[in-house]
Amino acid sequence: MNTRALALDLLEKWEKTDQFLAQILDSCCKQKKLNEKDRAFLQELVYGVLRWRPWLDSVIKKSVKDPQKKMSSLIKNVLRLGIYQMVFLEKVPIYASINETLNLLRCRVKRGFVNAVLRNYDRSVGEYKLPSSEEGIPAKIKDYLSRECPKVDLTPVWESIQKKPLIYARWNPLTGTRDVLEAIWQQENRKYQCVNESQGIYHLEKIETNVETWPSFQKGLFTIQDVYASSVVSHLDVKEHHKVLDACAAPGGKSFQIATYLKNADQLVALDVSKKRLDNLKKAALRLKVDNIKLVEGDAKKHVFLEKFDRILLDVPCSNLGVLNRRLDVRFRFSQKQQNSLIGIQREILENMSSFVKQDGIMVYSTCTLSRKENQDQVRAFLKKNPNFFCSYQALNIPGHEKGDGGYVAILHRSS
Ligand SMILES: C[S@@+](CC[C@H](N)C(=O)[O-])C[C@H]1O[C@@H](n2cnc3c(N)ncnc32)[C@H](O)[C@@H]1O
Protein backbone atom coordinates (compact mmCIF):
# COMPACT_ATOMS: atom_id res chain seq x y z
CA MET A 1 0.00 0.00 0.00
CA ASN A 2 1.58 3.32 -1.06
CA THR A 3 0.42 5.74 1.64
CA ARG A 4 1.82 8.78 -0.18
CA ALA A 5 -0.20 7.90 -3.29
CA LEU A 6 -3.31 7.57 -1.12
CA ALA A 7 -2.56 10.98 0.41
CA LEU A 8 -2.36 12.49 -3.07
CA ASP A 9 -5.71 10.89 -4.02
CA LEU A 10 -7.35 12.24 -0.86
CA LEU A 11 -6.04 15.77 -1.40
CA GLU A 12 -7.34 15.70 -4.97
CA LYS A 13 -10.71 14.35 -3.89
CA TRP A 14 -11.02 16.91 -1.09
CA GLU A 15 -10.40 19.73 -3.54
CA LYS A 16 -12.87 18.48 -6.12
CA THR A 17 -15.81 17.66 -3.83
CA ASP A 18 -17.46 19.38 -0.89
CA GLN A 19 -16.89 16.39 1.42
CA PHE A 20 -15.20 16.96 4.77
CA LEU A 21 -11.59 15.86 5.09
CA ALA A 22 -12.33 13.68 8.13
CA GLN A 23 -15.06 11.83 6.20
CA ILE A 24 -12.85 11.24 3.16
CA LEU A 25 -9.98 10.03 5.33
CA ASP A 26 -12.18 7.75 7.39
CA SER A 27 -13.85 6.06 4.44
CA CYS A 28 -10.49 5.60 2.67
CA CYS A 29 -8.97 3.94 5.77
CA LYS A 30 -11.96 1.61 6.07
CA GLN A 31 -12.09 0.78 2.37
CA LYS A 32 -8.36 0.06 2.13
CA LYS A 33 -8.33 -1.65 5.55
CA LEU A 34 -5.28 0.38 6.57
CA ASN A 35 -3.37 -0.68 9.66
CA GLU A 36 -2.82 1.83 12.48
CA LYS A 37 0.65 2.83 11.31
CA ASP A 38 -0.41 3.56 7.73
CA ARG A 39 -3.52 5.37 8.93
CA ALA A 40 -1.44 7.61 11.19
CA PHE A 41 1.03 8.39 8.38
CA LEU A 42 -1.78 9.12 5.91
CA GLN A 43 -3.41 11.46 8.42
CA GLU A 44 -0.09 13.20 9.10
CA LEU A 45 0.37 13.85 5.36
CA VAL A 46 -3.11 15.11 4.43
CA TYR A 47 -3.75 17.09 7.60
CA GLY A 48 -0.20 18.44 7.52
CA VAL A 49 -0.46 19.63 3.91
CA LEU A 50 -3.78 21.39 4.53
CA ARG A 51 -2.63 22.87 7.84
CA TRP A 52 0.35 24.52 6.13
CA ARG A 53 -0.99 24.96 2.61
CA PRO A 54 -0.63 28.77 2.25
CA TRP A 55 2.99 28.58 3.38
CA LEU A 56 3.71 25.53 1.16
CA ASP A 57 2.24 27.42 -1.80
CA SER A 58 4.40 30.46 -1.12
CA VAL A 59 7.49 28.21 -1.09
CA ILE A 60 6.45 26.56 -4.36
CA LYS A 61 5.98 29.98 -5.96
CA LYS A 62 9.51 30.99 -4.99
CA SER A 63 11.01 27.71 -6.22
CA VAL A 64 9.55 27.56 -9.75
CA LYS A 65 11.21 29.31 -12.68
CA ASP A 66 8.02 30.97 -13.92
CA PRO A 67 5.61 31.68 -11.02
CA GLN A 68 2.98 33.03 -13.45
CA LYS A 69 2.71 29.72 -15.33
CA LYS A 70 -0.45 27.81 -14.40
CA MET A 71 0.07 24.47 -12.63
CA SER A 72 -2.43 21.62 -12.51
CA SER A 73 -3.95 20.80 -9.13
CA LEU A 74 -2.25 17.37 -9.27
CA ILE A 75 1.23 18.87 -9.67
CA LYS A 76 0.53 21.42 -6.93
CA ASN A 77 -0.54 18.67 -4.53
CA VAL A 78 2.50 16.54 -5.40
CA LEU A 79 4.77 19.52 -4.67
CA ARG A 80 2.93 20.34 -1.44
CA LEU A 81 3.36 16.72 -0.28
CA GLY A 82 7.05 16.79 -1.20
CA ILE A 83 7.88 20.03 0.57
CA TYR A 84 5.76 19.11 3.60
CA GLN A 85 7.79 15.93 4.07
CA MET A 86 11.11 17.72 3.55
CA VAL A 87 10.34 20.37 6.17
CA PHE A 88 8.11 18.72 8.75
CA LEU A 89 9.01 15.01 8.78
CA GLU A 90 12.36 14.91 10.51
CA LYS A 91 12.57 11.12 10.36
CA VAL A 92 12.35 11.05 6.55
CA PRO A 93 15.70 11.99 4.95
CA ILE A 94 15.49 14.74 2.31
CA TYR A 95 16.57 12.43 -0.54
CA ALA A 96 13.83 9.94 0.44
CA SER A 97 11.18 12.70 0.54
CA ILE A 98 12.20 13.78 -2.97
CA ASN A 99 12.40 10.26 -4.42
CA GLU A 100 9.10 9.13 -2.91
CA THR A 101 7.43 12.27 -4.24
CA LEU A 102 8.78 11.65 -7.74
CA ASN A 103 7.44 8.08 -7.58
CA LEU A 104 3.94 9.55 -7.43
CA LEU A 105 4.22 10.55 -11.08
CA ARG A 106 4.52 8.34 -14.14
CA CYS A 107 4.96 11.07 -16.76
CA ARG A 108 8.68 11.78 -17.36
CA VAL A 109 8.14 15.49 -18.13
CA LYS A 110 6.12 16.07 -14.95
CA ARG A 111 8.69 14.17 -12.89
CA GLY A 112 11.42 16.36 -14.35
CA PHE A 113 9.53 19.51 -13.41
CA VAL A 114 8.78 18.37 -9.84
CA ASN A 115 12.36 17.17 -9.39
CA ALA A 116 13.69 20.58 -10.45
CA VAL A 117 11.35 22.48 -8.09
CA LEU A 118 12.12 20.28 -5.06
CA ARG A 119 15.88 20.41 -5.65
CA ASN A 120 15.72 24.17 -6.20
CA TYR A 121 13.99 24.49 -2.87
CA ASP A 122 16.49 22.18 -1.16
CA ARG A 123 19.43 24.23 -2.51
CA SER A 124 17.85 27.54 -1.48
CA VAL A 125 17.03 26.74 2.17
CA GLY A 126 20.44 26.02 3.64
CA GLU A 127 19.13 25.06 7.06
CA TYR A 128 15.57 23.69 7.36
CA LYS A 129 13.41 25.80 9.70
CA LEU A 130 9.74 25.55 10.56
CA PRO A 131 7.56 28.48 9.41
CA SER A 132 5.75 30.71 11.91
CA SER A 133 2.15 29.73 12.74
CA GLU A 134 0.78 32.81 11.04
CA GLU A 135 2.32 31.81 7.72
CA GLY A 136 0.22 28.63 7.64
CA ILE A 137 -3.19 30.30 7.92
CA PRO A 138 -5.10 31.61 4.89
CA ALA A 139 -5.07 35.42 4.69
CA LYS A 140 -8.88 35.46 4.37
CA ILE A 141 -9.26 33.82 7.81
CA LYS A 142 -6.63 36.04 9.46
CA ASP A 143 -8.23 39.21 8.09
CA TYR A 144 -11.71 38.12 9.08
CA LEU A 145 -10.80 37.17 12.66
CA SER A 146 -8.74 40.35 13.08
CA ARG A 147 -11.83 42.37 12.16
CA GLU A 148 -14.20 40.28 14.31
CA CYS A 149 -11.98 40.21 17.42
CA PRO A 150 -10.28 43.64 17.38
CA LYS A 151 -9.42 43.56 21.10
CA VAL A 152 -7.95 40.06 21.18
CA ASP A 153 -4.21 39.34 20.92
CA LEU A 154 -4.40 36.88 18.03
CA THR A 155 -0.82 35.55 18.17
CA PRO A 156 -1.73 32.78 20.70
CA VAL A 157 -4.82 32.02 18.58
CA TRP A 158 -2.72 31.43 15.43
CA GLU A 159 -0.33 29.27 17.46
CA SER A 160 -3.11 27.12 18.84
CA ILE A 161 -4.73 26.75 15.41
CA GLN A 162 -1.49 25.41 13.92
CA LYS A 163 -0.91 22.82 16.64
CA LYS A 164 -2.33 19.33 16.34
CA PRO A 165 -5.53 19.32 18.41
CA LEU A 166 -5.44 17.81 21.88
CA ILE A 167 -7.78 14.88 22.48
CA TYR A 168 -9.90 14.88 25.63
CA ALA A 169 -11.94 12.03 27.11
CA ARG A 170 -14.96 12.47 29.37
CA TRP A 171 -15.61 9.68 31.83
CA ASN A 172 -19.05 8.06 31.46
CA PRO A 173 -20.52 7.58 34.96
CA LEU A 174 -23.20 5.22 33.56
CA THR A 175 -20.74 2.41 32.80
CA GLY A 176 -18.45 2.37 35.82
CA THR A 177 -16.46 4.39 38.30
CA ARG A 178 -13.45 6.51 37.41
CA ASP A 179 -11.26 3.95 39.20
CA VAL A 180 -12.51 1.29 36.78
CA LEU A 181 -11.80 3.54 33.80
CA GLU A 182 -8.28 4.36 34.98
CA ALA A 183 -7.53 0.70 35.81
CA ILE A 184 -8.55 -0.36 32.29
CA TRP A 185 -6.50 2.43 30.71
CA GLN A 186 -3.49 1.25 32.71
CA GLN A 187 -4.01 -2.31 31.45
CA GLU A 188 -4.25 -0.91 27.92
CA ASN A 189 -1.06 1.09 28.49
CA ARG A 190 -2.65 4.48 27.82
CA LYS A 191 -1.13 7.81 28.81
CA TYR A 192 -3.65 10.20 30.36
CA GLN A 193 -3.89 13.16 32.67
CA CYS A 194 -6.97 14.33 34.54
CA VAL A 195 -7.67 18.01 33.75
CA ASN A 196 -11.02 18.36 35.51
CA GLU A 197 -11.53 16.31 38.67
CA SER A 198 -15.19 17.15 39.27
CA GLN A 199 -16.32 16.21 35.76
CA GLY A 200 -13.81 13.42 35.08
CA ILE A 201 -12.19 14.97 32.02
CA TYR A 202 -8.84 13.63 30.86
CA HIS A 203 -6.27 14.72 28.35
CA LEU A 204 -5.28 11.62 26.36
CA GLU A 205 -1.57 11.87 25.63
CA LYS A 206 0.68 10.23 23.04
CA ILE A 207 -2.18 8.57 21.19
CA GLU A 208 -0.75 6.05 18.76
CA THR A 209 -3.88 4.22 17.66
CA ASN A 210 -7.41 5.18 16.67
CA VAL A 211 -9.22 5.76 20.00
CA GLU A 212 -12.40 4.18 18.63
CA THR A 213 -10.61 0.82 18.48
CA TRP A 214 -9.70 0.86 22.20
CA PRO A 215 -11.64 -1.75 24.23
CA SER A 216 -12.27 0.90 26.93
CA PHE A 217 -13.93 3.11 24.28
CA GLN A 218 -15.95 0.26 22.80
CA LYS A 219 -17.22 -0.67 26.28
CA GLY A 220 -18.57 2.88 26.62
CA LEU A 221 -16.38 3.82 29.59
CA PHE A 222 -15.68 7.24 28.13
CA THR A 223 -16.55 9.54 25.29
CA ILE A 224 -14.39 11.93 23.28
CA GLN A 225 -15.32 15.54 23.94
CA ASP A 226 -13.30 18.73 24.00
CA VAL A 227 -12.64 20.20 27.44
CA TYR A 228 -14.41 23.48 26.54
CA ALA A 229 -17.39 21.71 24.94
CA SER A 230 -17.78 19.70 28.16
CA SER A 231 -18.15 22.91 30.16
CA VAL A 232 -21.12 24.26 28.17
CA VAL A 233 -23.71 21.93 29.73
CA SER A 234 -22.90 23.14 33.26
CA HIS A 235 -24.46 26.51 32.32
CA LEU A 236 -27.85 24.80 32.00
CA ASP A 237 -27.84 24.04 35.75
CA VAL A 238 -29.86 20.85 35.18
CA LYS A 239 -31.66 19.37 38.20
CA GLU A 240 -32.79 15.76 38.55
CA HIS A 241 -36.50 16.58 38.03
CA HIS A 242 -36.07 18.86 34.98
CA LYS A 243 -37.56 18.37 31.55
CA VAL A 244 -34.77 19.22 29.09
CA LEU A 245 -34.59 19.81 25.34
CA ASP A 246 -31.34 19.63 23.38
CA ALA A 247 -32.51 21.31 20.17
CA CYS A 248 -29.46 20.76 17.91
CA ALA A 249 -28.38 17.52 19.49
CA ALA A 250 -26.35 15.36 17.14
CA PRO A 251 -23.83 13.75 17.38
CA GLY A 252 -24.90 13.88 21.01
CA GLY A 253 -21.88 14.84 23.12
CA LYS A 254 -23.88 17.29 25.22
CA SER A 255 -27.07 15.17 25.31
CA PHE A 256 -25.09 12.29 26.84
CA GLN A 257 -23.79 14.64 29.51
CA ILE A 258 -27.28 15.99 30.29
CA ALA A 259 -28.67 12.43 30.40
CA THR A 260 -26.42 11.58 33.34
CA TYR A 261 -28.10 14.27 35.49
CA LEU A 262 -31.63 12.99 34.83
CA LYS A 263 -33.14 9.91 36.38
CA ASN A 264 -36.16 8.94 34.27
CA ALA A 265 -36.92 8.08 30.67
CA ASP A 266 -38.29 10.79 28.38
CA GLN A 267 -37.05 13.66 30.55
CA LEU A 268 -34.59 14.55 27.80
CA VAL A 269 -35.63 15.25 24.21
CA ALA A 270 -32.88 15.38 21.57
CA LEU A 271 -33.96 17.15 18.39
CA ASP A 272 -31.93 17.32 15.20
CA VAL A 273 -32.72 18.01 11.56
CA SER A 274 -30.37 15.30 10.25
CA LYS A 275 -31.55 11.69 10.32
CA LYS A 276 -28.06 10.43 9.56
CA ARG A 277 -26.59 12.33 12.49
CA LEU A 278 -29.41 11.15 14.78
CA ASP A 279 -28.64 7.55 13.74
CA ASN A 280 -25.04 8.10 14.82
CA LEU A 281 -26.30 9.54 18.11
CA LYS A 282 -28.42 6.41 18.61
CA LYS A 283 -25.40 4.14 18.03
CA ALA A 284 -23.25 6.13 20.45
CA ALA A 285 -26.05 6.08 23.05
CA LEU A 286 -26.10 2.27 22.89
CA ARG A 287 -22.35 2.13 23.41
CA LEU A 288 -22.56 4.54 26.37
CA LYS A 289 -25.62 2.75 27.83
CA VAL A 290 -27.65 5.97 27.78
CA ASP A 291 -31.28 4.94 27.53
CA ASN A 292 -33.22 7.99 28.68
CA ILE A 293 -33.16 10.16 25.55
CA LYS A 294 -36.18 10.60 23.31
CA LEU A 295 -34.98 11.30 19.76
CA VAL A 296 -36.97 13.62 17.50
CA GLU A 297 -36.11 14.33 13.88
CA GLY A 298 -37.21 17.85 13.07
CA ASP A 299 -36.31 21.41 12.18
CA ALA A 300 -35.76 23.61 15.24
CA LYS A 301 -36.70 26.67 13.15
CA LYS A 302 -40.30 25.53 13.00
CA HIS A 303 -40.81 22.37 15.07
CA VAL A 304 -43.73 22.61 17.49
CA PHE A 305 -43.67 20.89 20.89
CA LEU A 306 -46.86 20.32 22.85
CA GLU A 307 -44.99 20.76 26.11
CA LYS A 308 -42.59 23.29 27.64
CA PHE A 309 -39.12 22.65 29.04
CA ASP A 310 -37.24 23.74 32.17
CA ARG A 311 -34.02 23.85 30.20
CA ILE A 312 -33.26 24.19 26.49
CA LEU A 313 -29.83 23.91 24.94
CA LEU A 314 -29.30 25.57 21.55
CA ASP A 315 -25.90 24.36 20.36
CA VAL A 316 -26.57 25.85 16.96
CA PRO A 317 -24.92 25.17 13.59
CA CYS A 318 -22.26 27.85 13.06
CA SER A 319 -19.25 28.87 10.99
CA ASN A 320 -16.90 26.78 13.21
CA LEU A 321 -14.28 29.53 13.38
CA GLY A 322 -13.43 28.43 16.94
CA VAL A 323 -12.36 24.94 15.87
CA LEU A 324 -10.01 25.77 13.02
CA ASN A 325 -7.35 23.39 14.32
CA ARG A 326 -9.70 20.37 14.13
CA ARG A 327 -11.80 21.37 11.15
CA LEU A 328 -9.19 22.14 8.51
CA ASP A 329 -11.90 22.36 5.84
CA VAL A 330 -13.28 25.54 7.40
CA ARG A 331 -10.20 27.64 6.73
CA PHE A 332 -10.64 27.13 2.98
CA ARG A 333 -14.41 26.89 2.69
CA PHE A 334 -15.55 29.72 4.98
CA SER A 335 -17.58 32.30 3.08
CA GLN A 336 -19.55 35.36 4.05
CA LYS A 337 -22.51 34.06 2.04
CA GLN A 338 -22.59 30.77 3.94
CA GLN A 339 -22.19 32.64 7.22
CA ASN A 340 -25.14 34.92 6.43
CA SER A 341 -27.29 31.88 5.81
CA LEU A 342 -26.17 30.36 9.16
CA ILE A 343 -26.98 33.62 10.95
CA GLY A 344 -30.53 33.43 9.56
CA ILE A 345 -30.90 29.81 10.74
CA GLN A 346 -29.56 30.65 14.22
CA ARG A 347 -31.97 33.58 14.52
CA GLU A 348 -34.97 31.45 13.57
CA ILE A 349 -33.94 28.60 15.90
CA LEU A 350 -33.57 31.05 18.81
CA GLU A 351 -36.92 32.65 18.07
CA ASN A 352 -38.90 29.42 17.63
CA MET A 353 -37.34 27.44 20.50
CA SER A 354 -37.71 30.32 22.98
CA SER A 355 -41.48 29.77 22.96
CA PHE A 356 -40.98 26.34 24.57
CA VAL A 357 -39.05 27.57 27.62
CA LYS A 358 -41.12 27.41 30.84
CA GLN A 359 -41.51 30.56 32.89
CA ASP A 360 -38.34 30.93 35.05
CA GLY A 361 -36.70 28.38 32.78
CA ILE A 362 -33.28 28.71 31.13
CA MET A 363 -32.16 28.56 27.52
CA VAL A 364 -28.44 28.29 26.79
CA TYR A 365 -27.26 29.51 23.39
CA SER A 366 -23.87 28.19 22.31
CA THR A 367 -21.64 28.15 19.24
CA CYS A 368 -18.12 27.04 18.37
CA THR A 369 -17.27 30.20 16.50
CA LEU A 370 -15.48 33.43 17.42
CA SER A 371 -17.61 35.57 15.14
CA ARG A 372 -19.40 38.40 16.93
CA LYS A 373 -22.22 38.30 14.35
CA GLU A 374 -23.16 34.74 15.34
CA ASN A 375 -22.56 35.32 19.06
CA GLN A 376 -23.01 38.62 20.91
CA ASP A 377 -24.92 40.34 18.06
CA GLN A 378 -27.29 37.41 17.73
CA VAL A 379 -28.10 37.38 21.46
CA ARG A 380 -28.45 41.17 21.61
CA ALA A 381 -30.96 41.15 18.75
CA PHE A 382 -32.93 38.31 20.38
CA LEU A 383 -33.15 40.12 23.74
CA LYS A 384 -34.27 43.33 22.07
CA LYS A 385 -37.14 41.49 20.42
CA ASN A 386 -37.98 39.36 23.49
CA PRO A 387 -38.05 41.53 26.63
CA ASN A 388 -39.42 38.57 28.62
CA PHE A 389 -35.87 37.10 28.48
CA PHE A 390 -32.70 38.41 30.13
CA CYS A 391 -29.08 37.33 29.85
CA SER A 392 -27.29 36.54 33.14
CA TYR A 393 -23.93 35.51 31.67
CA GLN A 394 -22.10 35.38 28.37
CA ALA A 395 -18.52 34.39 27.59
CA LEU A 396 -16.23 33.79 24.67
CA ASN A 397 -13.66 31.00 24.95
CA ILE A 398 -10.66 31.99 22.88
CA PRO A 399 -8.32 29.16 21.83
CA GLY A 400 -4.71 29.80 22.79
CA HIS A 401 -5.87 32.09 25.62
CA GLU A 402 -8.14 29.56 27.34
CA LYS A 403 -8.14 25.75 27.42
CA GLY A 404 -9.90 23.87 24.66
CA ASP A 405 -11.80 24.83 21.53
CA GLY A 406 -13.11 28.30 20.82
CA GLY A 407 -16.76 29.05 21.40
CA TYR A 408 -19.40 31.28 22.88
CA VAL A 409 -22.08 30.69 25.47
CA ALA A 410 -24.97 32.84 26.74
CA ILE A 411 -27.42 31.99 29.54
CA LEU A 412 -30.89 33.35 28.76
CA HIS A 413 -33.63 33.32 31.44
CA ARG A 414 -37.34 33.53 30.75
CA SER A 415 -38.87 35.89 33.30
CA SER A 416 -42.49 35.79 32.14
C1 LIG B 1 -22.87 22.11 16.55
S1 LIG B 1 -23.74 20.70 16.07
C2 LIG B 1 -24.38 20.16 17.60
C3 LIG B 1 -23.38 19.37 18.41
C4 LIG B 1 -24.04 18.66 19.58
N1 LIG B 1 -24.75 19.56 20.44
C5 LIG B 1 -23.02 17.90 20.42
O1 LIG B 1 -22.61 18.37 21.48
O2 LIG B 1 -22.63 16.80 20.00
C6 LIG B 1 -25.15 21.38 15.33
C7 LIG B 1 -26.24 20.39 15.00
O3 LIG B 1 -27.38 21.15 14.58
C8 LIG B 1 -28.08 20.40 13.62
N2 LIG B 1 -28.96 21.34 12.91
C9 LIG B 1 -28.67 22.18 11.90
N3 LIG B 1 -29.77 22.88 11.54
C10 LIG B 1 -30.77 22.46 12.35
C11 LIG B 1 -32.15 22.79 12.46
N4 LIG B 1 -32.70 23.70 11.67
N5 LIG B 1 -32.88 22.15 13.38
C12 LIG B 1 -32.33 21.21 14.20
N6 LIG B 1 -31.03 20.85 14.13
C13 LIG B 1 -30.26 21.48 13.22
C14 LIG B 1 -27.00 19.76 12.78
O4 LIG B 1 -27.49 18.63 12.11
C15 LIG B 1 -25.95 19.43 13.85
O5 LIG B 1 -26.11 18.11 14.27
Side-chain angles (χ1 to χ4, degrees), residues 296-362:
V296 177
E297 185 187 334
D299 184 344
K301 302 200 294 298
K302 50 186 184 221
H303 193 86
V304 175
F305 288 99
L306 299 175
E307 57 187 331
K308 290 201 171 177
F309 298 87
D310 300 284
R311 300 289 186 261
I312 296 185
L313 175 61
L314 302 182
D315 193 25
V316 293
C318 69
S319 58
N320 289 314
L321 290 170
V323 285
L324 288 164
N325 70 340
R326 287 179 206 288
R327 300 280 306 275
L328 293 175
D329 315 85
V330 175
R331 38 179 103 190
F332 302 100
R333 294 181 180 167
F334 170 77
S335 77
Q336 209 88 51
K337 189 171 162 218
Q338 182 212 32
Q339 188 189 36
N340 287 340
S341 141
L342 284 164
I343 290 172
I345 294 170
Q346 293 158 356
R347 188 188 314 120
E348 285 183 59
I349 291 179
L350 255 167
E351 203 54 52
N352 184 40
M353 287 294 118
S354 66
S355 53
F356 304 109
V357 183
K358 282 185 189 169
Q359 184 169 341
D360 299 321
I362 290 177

Side-chain angles (χ1 to χ4, degrees), residues 250 272-282 297-298:
D272 203 282
V273 77
S274 159
K275 175 170 183 326
K276 195 170 162 206
R277 288 171 69 89
L278 277 177
D279 286 344
N280 289 338
L281 189 158
K282 212 188 279 180
E297 185 187 334

Side-chain angles (χ1 to χ4, degrees), residues 138-152:
K140 186 174 77 173
I141 294 291
K142 285 189 286 189
D143 292 348
Y144 187 79
L145 285 181
S146 306
R147 282 199 307 277
E148 284 287 284
C149 313
K151 293 186 186 144
V152 176

Side-chain angles (χ1 to χ4, degrees), residues 118-176:
L118 296 184
R119 291 195 192 278
N120 239 352
Y121 174 63
D122 186 38
R123 270 194 299 274
S124 69
V125 279
E127 195 188 334
Y128 277 81
K129 269 198 295 206
L130 296 181
S132 72
S133 299
E134 232 181 301
E135 290 174 282
I137 303 165
K140 186 174 77 173
I141 294 291
K142 285 189 286 189
D143 292 348
Y144 187 79
L145 285 181
S146 306
R147 282 199 307 277
E148 284 287 284
C149 313
K151 293 186 186 144
V152 176
D153 171 12
L154 288 169
T155 308
V157 177
W158 309 143
E159 281 165 8
S160 81
I161 287 174
Q162 288 309 88
K163 281 190 192 137
K164 288 181 190 156
L166 302 179
I167 307 290
Y168 292 96
R170 191 171 50 75
W171 159 62
N172 176 17
L174 301 177
T175 47

Side-chain angles (χ1 to χ4, degrees), residues 19 28 39 61 77 91 96 98 106-107 126 136 153 159 163 180 202 217 225 249 279 302 305 344 389 392 403 407:
Q19 278 180 277
C28 167
R39 185 193 168 98
K61 221 171 174 180
N77 279 326
K91 286 187 189 154
I98 297 180
R106 285 214 194 96
C107 164
D153 171 12
E159 281 165 8
K163 281 190 192 137
V180 169
Y202 297 83
F217 178 85
Q225 191 178 34
D279 286 344
K302 50 186 184 221
F305 288 99
F389 276 84
S392 63
K403 260 201 191 125

